[in-house]
Amino acid sequence: MISLFFALTLSAAADDGLVVHLAMDEGTGTVARDASGNGNNAIITGATWTELRDGFALKFDGVDDFAECADAADLNLTEAVTIEAWVYHDELPQFKTSIVSKDPGYWLRTHTDGFLGFTDRCRTPPLVLSEFWHHMVGVFDGTSDAFY
């Protein structure tokens, strides 16, 4: 079983600001609340809450669990976007795992060979380690993309 814990921040161009921030630390319930003030709450399907040293996180099975925001105009980012997430795998993924996905548009993923990806053009060398937190940041400035 692959477990995935994460918190998500999605930002538009600098002048537009924060679009969604899901800390995913509520500890109970089926909604992850958006702290950006934009109301882009996520409905949680299948994932379970787990207690960590400093709070709570969502645990996804890597198969069919997900958290989904409703389609909203402010999530249709085409000019510039920054996506960041904290991700933890119990074991290396057996297939590509989408951390964030907006089709068409953008995504942040981990893959079976250990690389982290942000769009089809930007990926890292193999970096994913099991039982280790990864801070993933993908940036598209309107022209080029980068992964940190």
Side-chain angles (χ1 to χ4, degrees), residues 38-87:
N38 293 321
N40 291 312
N41 298 327
I43 303 301
I44 301 160
T45 302
T48 58
W49 292 105
T50 187
E51 191 166 0
L52 303 174
R53 185 180 68 207
D54 295 323
F56 294 91
L58 277 174
K59 184 173 185 175
F60 298 83
D61 67 6
V63 178
D64 58 0
D65 295 353
F66 59 94
E68 181 176 37
C69 296
D71 194 18
D74 59 348
L75 296 175
N76 296 328
L77 304 173
T78 58
E79 294 179 16
V81 61
T82 299
I83 303 172
E84 77 177 285
W86 281 96
V87 179

Side-chain angles (χ1 to χ4, degrees), residues 5 8 11 15 26 31 38-39 46 53-54 56 59 61 64 93 100-101 109-110 114 116 118 127-128 130 139 144:
F5 306 98
L8 167 70
S11 301
D15 57 338
E26 286 83 354
V31 176
N38 293 321
R53 185 180 68 207
D54 295 323
F56 294 91
K59 184 173 185 175
D61 67 6
D64 58 0
V100 178
S101 179
R109 292 183 181 141
T110 58
L116 307 172
F118 173 64
L127 293 175
V128 175
S130 60
V139 178
S144 59

Side-chain angles (χ1 to χ4, degrees), residues 88-146:
Y88 181 97
H89 285 281
D90 286 339
E91 59 188 56
L92 292 178
Q94 300 301 307
F95 46 89
K96 72 179 176 188
T97 304
S98 290
I99 310 303
V100 178
S101 179
K102 175 71 170 130
D103 287 325
Y106 46 86
W107 50 262
L108 197 60
R109 292 183 181 141
T110 58
H111 289 257
T112 55
D113 59 0
F115 76 84
L116 307 172
F118 173 64
T119 74
D120 290 325
R121 300 174 308 273
C122 187
R123 64 185 230 173
T124 68
L127 293 175
V128 175
L129 301 172
S130 60
E131 300 180 357
F132 187 80
W133 283 98
H134 297 276
H135 185 218
M136 303 169 62
V137 181
V139 178
F140 176 66
D141 65 8
T143 305
S144 59
D145 39 19

Side-chain angles (χ1 to χ4, degrees), residues 2-13:
I2 297 171
S3 297
L4 179 66
F5 306 98
F6 74 95
L8 167 70
T9 302
L10 180 63
S11 301

